[in-house]
Amino acid sequence: MEIEIWSDVVCPWCYIGKRRLEKALADFPQRERVRLVWRSFQLDPLAPREARESVSAMLARKYGVSQAEAEAMNARVSALAAQEGLTFRLEQARYGNTFDAHRLLHLAAAHGRAQELAERLFRAYFSEGAALSEPETLRRLAGEVGLPAEEIELVLHSSAYAEAVREDERRAQDLGVQGVPFFLFAGRYAVSGAQPVSLLRQVLERAWRESAREQPQVVAAAGAEDGQSLDQEQACADGSCALPGSERAG
């Protein structure tokens, strides 16, 4: 069974949702027969290639709040991440474009290492202050998970996998995805947002048992337990990160 995961590697709820899904899968009897498939979703396709601006500065500018208010938003989501065993250091993070990171995730999938690279990218951004828009950073991180150096270079110096990224985003649009993380179980059961482990486990078990439905069904609206009023992209209200100008998922 496949679980498709639409996410962006700079979305805090996506990292939180990843960890919760892993917990839901940890003691699932058929875990070895479940395949996770990472799908591309850019929260801000127009983000700059040069990551010079801090996340807090970007939030303050974008939402017209003070630096202190932006830092408080990040502190709230960081506290929620800590409950899942994650260490966020958003004061170090740098805002930038993620298109090349998504292209490298497709390369990693071709080598069976998408899970390793996704985890490495998330940790680098949220815990280490790495700028995921910079080729030097991406080259290093992709190399750390064992991708061939020559293939990394090919991706970074070409448009390889660009169409694969855009196809993922088109599919998300067709499914009505307006925020991430977005999980699609067995092509039929969809969950929007970083929902509780218990809910993800229920959907996992149901998707395993049933395959009769023809169309995806959103079984959980975003924001079940995480309904913090964090009205900005990086702190990402209601358990998901929404596209600018869109309704929240769910």
Side-chain angles (χ1 to χ4, degrees):
M1 183 180 78
E2 281 189 355
I3 302 176
E4 297 173 83
I5 308 164
W6 275 265
S7 71
D8 200 353
V9 288
V10 295
C11 163
W13 286 112
C14 294
Y15 199 7
I16 292 170
K18 177 181 185 293
R19 198 58 90 237
R20 289 178 179 175
L21 178 62
E22 290 167 350
K23 291 178 180 180
L25 284 164
D27 59 352
F28 183 60
Q30 292 80 26
R31 171 66 185 90
E32 297 305 314
R33 297 173 64 188
V34 175
R35 187 166 76 98
L36 304 184
V37 180
W38 289 91
R39 300 296 187 195
S40 302
F41 190 101
Q42 284 187 280
L43 284 169
D44 186 1
L46 300 179
R49 291 281 179 175
E50 294 186 9
R52 296 179 176 178
E53 189 175 33
S54 71
V55 171
S56 294
M58 180 274 291
L59 293 175
R61 171 179 54 78
K62 185 175 181 65
Y63 294 99
V65 299
S66 68
Q67 183 78 13
E69 289 171 314
E71 290 171 357
M73 293 174 182
N74 285 334
R76 288 195 290 272
V77 77
S78 296
L80 289 168
Q83 295 176 16
E84 305 300 331
L86 300 173
T87 300
F88 279 12
R89 297 186 178 93
L90 286 171
E91 71 279 0
Q92 299 177 7
R94 292 295 179 269
Y95 174 65
N97 197 284
T98 60
F99 189 71
D100 288 343
H102 284 293
R103 293 196 299 125
L104 284 172
L105 277 168
H106 280 278
L107 172 65
H111 287 274
R113 294 185 177 275
Q115 312 313 316
E116 293 88 343
L117 184 57
E119 178 67 25
R120 189 66 190 95
L121 291 171
F122 276 126
R123 179 160 55 88
Y125 182 77
F126 288 104
S127 301
E128 300 169 7
L132 299 186
S133 61
E134 296 179 354
E136 296 82 1
T137 299
L138 294 174
R139 183 180 294 113
R140 172 176 60 83
L141 298 175
E144 286 179 10
V145 302
L147 296 185
E150 64 277 11
E151 294 186 38
I152 296 170
E153 292 303 318
L154 176 62
V155 171
L156 293 176
H157 290 91
S158 73
S159 61
Y161 298 106
E163 184 56 30
V165 173
R166 296 186 182 105
E167 177 58 27
D168 283 350
E169 294 176 334
R170 283 193 291 267
R171 279 198 62 208
Q173 186 175 18
D174 290 344
L175 287 167
V177 178
Q178 295 179 332
V180 286
F182 185 89
F183 305 93
L184 186 60
F185 292 73
R188 301 177 184 276
Y189 298 94
V191 174
S192 179
Q195 298 299 330
V197 174
S198 59
L199 189 147
L200 291 170
R201 181 60 183 263
Q202 289 172 20
V203 179
L204 175 63
E205 292 173 348
R206 181 177 178 182
W208 186 265
R209 292 193 309 265
E210 304 174 13
S211 60
R213 297 187 188 275
E214 296 182 358
Q215 298 295 328
Q217 176 187 19
V218 177
V219 296
E225 73 168 12
D226 294 315
Q228 312 293 320
S229 296
L230 312 183
D231 189 16
Q232 41 91 27
E233 288 171 12
Q234 291 296 325
C236 300
D238 301 333
S240 68
C241 295
L243 280 170
S246 71
E247 297 290 335
R248 292 198 182 100

Short mmCIF file of all heavy atoms in Angstrom, two decimals, residues 13 41 63 176-182 192-193 218 220-223 226-233 235-250:
data_model
loop_
_atom_site.label_atom_id
_atom_site.label_comp_id
_atom_site.label_asym_id
_atom_site.label_seq_id
_atom_site.Cartn_x
_atom_site.Cartn_y
_atom_site.Cartn_z
N TRP A 13 4.84 22.16 9.93
CA TRP A 13 3.82 21.14 10.16
C TRP A 13 4.10 19.88 9.35
O TRP A 13 3.69 18.78 9.73
CB TRP A 13 2.44 21.69 9.84
CG TRP A 13 1.94 22.64 10.88
CD1 TRP A 13 1.75 23.98 10.75
CD2 TRP A 13 1.58 22.32 12.24
NE1 TRP A 13 1.30 24.52 11.93
CE2 TRP A 13 1.18 23.54 12.85
CE3 TRP A 13 1.56 21.15 12.98
CZ2 TRP A 13 0.77 23.58 14.18
CZ3 TRP A 13 1.15 21.19 14.30
CH2 TRP A 13 0.76 22.40 14.89
N PHE A 41 5.45 19.98 -3.19
CA PHE A 41 4.48 21.05 -2.98
C PHE A 41 5.25 22.27 -2.50
O PHE A 41 5.81 22.25 -1.39
CB PHE A 41 3.44 20.63 -1.94
CG PHE A 41 2.26 21.55 -1.82
CD1 PHE A 41 1.05 21.24 -2.42
CD2 PHE A 41 2.35 22.73 -1.09
CE1 PHE A 41 -0.05 22.08 -2.29
CE2 PHE A 41 1.26 23.58 -0.96
CZ PHE A 41 0.06 23.25 -1.57
N TYR A 63 3.37 39.71 7.15
CA TYR A 63 2.11 39.82 7.88
C TYR A 63 1.96 41.12 8.66
O TYR A 63 0.98 41.32 9.38
CB TYR A 63 1.95 38.62 8.82
CG TYR A 63 1.79 37.34 8.03
CD1 TYR A 63 2.88 36.49 7.83
CD2 TYR A 63 0.58 37.01 7.43
CE1 TYR A 63 2.75 35.33 7.08
CE2 TYR A 63 0.44 35.85 6.67
CZ TYR A 63 1.52 35.02 6.51
OH TYR A 63 1.39 33.88 5.75
N GLY A 176 -7.48 19.14 -4.88
CA GLY A 176 -7.99 20.23 -4.04
C GLY A 176 -7.11 20.54 -2.85
O GLY A 176 -7.57 21.16 -1.88
N VAL A 177 -5.84 20.14 -2.91
CA VAL A 177 -4.93 20.41 -1.80
C VAL A 177 -4.62 21.90 -1.75
O VAL A 177 -4.18 22.49 -2.73
CB VAL A 177 -3.62 19.61 -1.97
CG1 VAL A 177 -2.66 19.94 -0.83
CG2 VAL A 177 -3.91 18.13 -2.03
N GLN A 178 -4.85 22.49 -0.59
CA GLN A 178 -4.57 23.92 -0.41
C GLN A 178 -3.55 24.16 0.69
O GLN A 178 -3.14 25.30 0.93
CB GLN A 178 -5.87 24.67 -0.09
CG GLN A 178 -6.85 24.64 -1.25
CD GLN A 178 -8.14 25.36 -0.91
OE1 GLN A 178 -8.56 25.43 0.25
NE2 GLN A 178 -8.80 25.89 -1.92
N GLY A 179 -3.14 23.11 1.34
CA GLY A 179 -2.14 23.24 2.39
C GLY A 179 -1.49 21.90 2.65
O GLY A 179 -2.02 20.85 2.25
N VAL A 180 -0.35 21.93 3.27
CA VAL A 180 0.40 20.70 3.56
C VAL A 180 0.78 20.66 5.04
O VAL A 180 0.82 21.70 5.70
CB VAL A 180 1.66 20.64 2.67
CG1 VAL A 180 1.29 20.29 1.25
CG2 VAL A 180 2.47 21.94 2.71
N PRO A 181 1.00 19.43 5.57
CA PRO A 181 1.07 18.16 4.86
C PRO A 181 -0.31 17.65 4.42
O PRO A 181 -1.32 17.98 5.02
CB PRO A 181 1.67 17.21 5.89
CG PRO A 181 1.19 17.75 7.21
CD PRO A 181 1.23 19.25 7.03
N PHE A 182 -0.29 16.86 3.37
CA PHE A 182 -1.50 16.23 2.87
C PHE A 182 -1.14 14.78 2.57
O PHE A 182 -0.22 14.51 1.79
CB PHE A 182 -1.98 16.93 1.60
CG PHE A 182 -3.30 16.41 1.08
CD1 PHE A 182 -4.50 16.96 1.51
CD2 PHE A 182 -3.33 15.38 0.14
CE1 PHE A 182 -5.72 16.49 1.01
CE2 PHE A 182 -4.53 14.91 -0.36
CZ PHE A 182 -5.73 15.46 0.07
N SER A 192 -5.72 15.81 5.77
CA SER A 192 -5.11 17.13 5.61
C SER A 192 -4.63 17.63 6.96
O SER A 192 -5.37 17.65 7.94
CB SER A 192 -6.16 18.10 5.03
OG SER A 192 -5.60 19.38 4.88
N GLY A 193 -3.37 18.02 7.01
CA GLY A 193 -2.82 18.58 8.23
C GLY A 193 -2.07 17.54 9.05
O GLY A 193 -2.16 16.34 8.83
N VAL A 218 -11.60 13.24 2.18
CA VAL A 218 -10.89 13.88 3.29
C VAL A 218 -11.56 13.45 4.58
O VAL A 218 -12.68 13.86 4.88
CB VAL A 218 -10.88 15.42 3.17
CG1 VAL A 218 -10.21 16.04 4.38
CG2 VAL A 218 -10.15 15.83 1.89
N ALA A 220 -10.25 13.84 7.65
CA ALA A 220 -9.95 14.69 8.79
C ALA A 220 -9.62 16.08 8.32
O ALA A 220 -8.68 16.26 7.56
CB ALA A 220 -8.77 14.12 9.58
N ALA A 221 -10.37 17.05 8.74
CA ALA A 221 -10.05 18.44 8.42
C ALA A 221 -8.86 18.87 9.25
O ALA A 221 -8.64 18.40 10.35
CB ALA A 221 -11.24 19.35 8.72
N ALA A 222 -8.07 19.76 8.69
CA ALA A 222 -6.89 20.24 9.41
C ALA A 222 -7.31 20.93 10.68
O ALA A 222 -8.31 21.63 10.74
CB ALA A 222 -6.12 21.22 8.53
N GLY A 223 -6.50 20.69 11.74
CA GLY A 223 -6.68 21.47 12.96
C GLY A 223 -7.42 20.76 14.06
O GLY A 223 -8.04 21.39 14.90
N ASP A 226 -4.41 20.71 16.87
CA ASP A 226 -3.38 21.73 16.78
C ASP A 226 -3.96 23.09 16.42
O ASP A 226 -3.33 23.87 15.73
CB ASP A 226 -2.34 21.33 15.74
CG ASP A 226 -1.58 20.11 16.18
OD1 ASP A 226 -1.19 20.07 17.35
OD2 ASP A 226 -1.43 19.21 15.37
N GLY A 227 -5.16 23.37 16.87
CA GLY A 227 -5.81 24.60 16.47
C GLY A 227 -5.26 25.82 17.14
O GLY A 227 -5.98 26.59 17.78
N GLN A 228 -3.96 25.98 17.06
CA GLN A 228 -3.35 27.19 17.57
C GLN A 228 -3.57 28.31 16.57
O GLN A 228 -3.48 28.11 15.37
CB GLN A 228 -1.84 26.97 17.74
CG GLN A 228 -1.48 25.67 18.45
CD GLN A 228 -1.93 25.68 19.89
OE1 GLN A 228 -1.80 26.69 20.56
NE2 GLN A 228 -2.43 24.58 20.37
N SER A 229 -3.87 29.48 17.01
CA SER A 229 -4.12 30.59 16.09
C SER A 229 -2.79 31.18 15.63
O SER A 229 -2.42 32.29 16.01
CB SER A 229 -4.98 31.66 16.78
OG SER A 229 -6.25 31.12 17.09
N LEU A 230 -2.07 30.41 14.84
CA LEU A 230 -0.78 30.84 14.33
C LEU A 230 -0.98 31.25 12.89
O LEU A 230 -0.77 30.48 11.97
CB LEU A 230 0.24 29.70 14.43
CG LEU A 230 0.31 28.98 15.78
CD1 LEU A 230 1.41 27.95 15.74
CD2 LEU A 230 0.55 29.96 16.91
N ASP A 231 -1.40 32.48 12.66
CA ASP A 231 -1.85 32.89 11.33
C ASP A 231 -0.69 33.35 10.46
O ASP A 231 -0.52 34.51 10.16
CB ASP A 231 -2.89 34.01 11.47
CG ASP A 231 -3.55 34.31 10.15
OD1 ASP A 231 -3.44 33.48 9.23
OD2 ASP A 231 -4.17 35.38 10.04
N GLN A 232 0.15 32.39 10.06
CA GLN A 232 1.26 32.70 9.18
C GLN A 232 1.81 31.40 8.63
O GLN A 232 1.56 30.34 9.13
CB GLN A 232 2.33 33.50 9.91
CG GLN A 232 2.62 33.04 11.31
CD GLN A 232 3.74 32.03 11.36
OE1 GLN A 232 4.59 32.02 10.50
NE2 GLN A 232 3.73 31.18 12.34
N GLU A 233 2.59 31.50 7.54
CA GLU A 233 2.96 30.30 6.82
C GLU A 233 3.91 29.40 7.60
O GLU A 233 3.78 28.20 7.57
CB GLU A 233 3.60 30.66 5.48
CG GLU A 233 2.60 31.21 4.49
CD GLU A 233 3.28 31.76 3.25
OE1 GLU A 233 4.48 31.52 3.07
OE2 GLU A 233 2.59 32.43 2.48
N ALA A 235 4.59 29.27 10.99
CA ALA A 235 3.96 28.66 12.14
C ALA A 235 2.70 27.94 11.71
O ALA A 235 2.24 27.05 12.38
CB ALA A 235 3.63 29.71 13.20
N CYS A 236 2.15 28.28 10.56
CA CYS A 236 1.17 27.50 9.82
C CYS A 236 -0.01 27.04 10.66
O CYS A 236 0.00 25.97 11.24
CB CYS A 236 1.85 26.30 9.18
SG CYS A 236 3.15 26.80 8.05
N ALA A 237 -1.02 27.85 10.70
CA ALA A 237 -2.16 27.62 11.57
C ALA A 237 -2.87 26.33 11.26
O ALA A 237 -2.85 25.82 10.15
CB ALA A 237 -3.15 28.78 11.42
N ASP A 238 -3.54 25.79 12.29
CA ASP A 238 -4.46 24.67 12.15
C ASP A 238 -3.80 23.40 11.66
O ASP A 238 -4.42 22.57 11.01
CB ASP A 238 -5.62 25.03 11.20
CG ASP A 238 -6.41 26.23 11.69
OD1 ASP A 238 -6.42 26.44 12.91
OD2 ASP A 238 -7.00 26.92 10.86
N GLY A 239 -2.56 23.20 11.98
CA GLY A 239 -1.92 21.94 11.67
C GLY A 239 -1.49 21.75 10.24
O GLY A 239 -1.12 20.66 9.84
N SER A 240 -1.54 22.79 9.42
CA SER A 240 -1.05 22.67 8.05
C SER A 240 -0.52 24.02 7.58
O SER A 240 -0.87 25.05 8.14
CB SER A 240 -2.15 22.19 7.10
OG SER A 240 -3.15 23.17 6.96
N CYS A 241 0.32 23.99 6.56
CA CYS A 241 0.84 25.20 5.96
C CYS A 241 0.07 25.47 4.69
O CYS A 241 0.02 24.62 3.80
CB CYS A 241 2.33 25.04 5.64
SG CYS A 241 3.35 24.83 7.10
N ALA A 242 -0.55 26.64 4.58
CA ALA A 242 -1.43 26.93 3.45
C ALA A 242 -0.72 27.75 2.39
O ALA A 242 0.20 28.50 2.68
CB ALA A 242 -2.67 27.69 3.94
N LEU A 243 -1.17 27.59 1.17
CA LEU A 243 -0.70 28.44 0.10
C LEU A 243 -1.09 29.88 0.35
O LEU A 243 -2.17 30.13 0.89
CB LEU A 243 -1.31 28.00 -1.23
CG LEU A 243 -0.70 26.79 -1.93
CD1 LEU A 243 -1.61 26.37 -3.07
CD2 LEU A 243 0.68 27.11 -2.45
N PRO A 244 -0.26 30.83 -0.02
CA PRO A 244 -0.64 32.23 0.14
C PRO A 244 -1.93 32.53 -0.58
O PRO A 244 -2.13 32.16 -1.73
CB PRO A 244 0.55 32.97 -0.50
CG PRO A 244 1.69 32.02 -0.43
CD PRO A 244 1.08 30.65 -0.59
N GLY A 245 -2.86 33.15 0.14
CA GLY A 245 -4.11 33.57 -0.47
C GLY A 245 -5.15 32.49 -0.60
O GLY A 245 -6.23 32.71 -1.13
N SER A 246 -4.87 31.28 -0.08
CA SER A 246 -5.83 30.19 -0.21
C SER A 246 -6.61 30.00 1.08
O SER A 246 -6.23 30.48 2.13
CB SER A 246 -5.11 28.88 -0.55
OG SER A 246 -4.39 28.43 0.58
N GLU A 247 -7.69 29.27 0.97
CA GLU A 247 -8.38 28.81 2.16
C GLU A 247 -7.53 27.75 2.80
O GLU A 247 -6.76 27.05 2.15
CB GLU A 247 -9.75 28.20 1.79
CG GLU A 247 -10.70 29.17 1.15
CD GLU A 247 -11.21 30.21 2.12
OE1 GLU A 247 -11.22 29.93 3.33
OE2 GLU A 247 -11.60 31.31 1.68
N ARG A 248 -7.67 27.55 4.10
CA ARG A 248 -6.92 26.49 4.74
C ARG A 248 -7.48 25.14 4.32
O ARG A 248 -8.65 25.00 4.06
CB ARG A 248 -6.99 26.62 6.26
CG ARG A 248 -6.25 27.85 6.77
CD ARG A 248 -5.97 27.72 8.24
NE ARG A 248 -5.31 28.93 8.70
CZ ARG A 248 -5.94 29.91 9.32
NH1 ARG A 248 -7.20 29.81 9.55
NH2 ARG A 248 -5.28 30.98 9.69
N ALA A 249 -6.57 24.15 4.30
CA ALA A 249 -6.98 22.82 3.87
C ALA A 249 -8.03 22.26 4.79
O ALA A 249 -8.03 22.50 5.98
CB ALA A 249 -5.76 21.88 3.84
N GLY A 250 -8.89 21.43 4.20
CA GLY A 250 -9.92 20.79 5.02
C GLY A 250 -11.21 21.50 4.85
O GLY A 250 -12.20 21.13 5.42
#
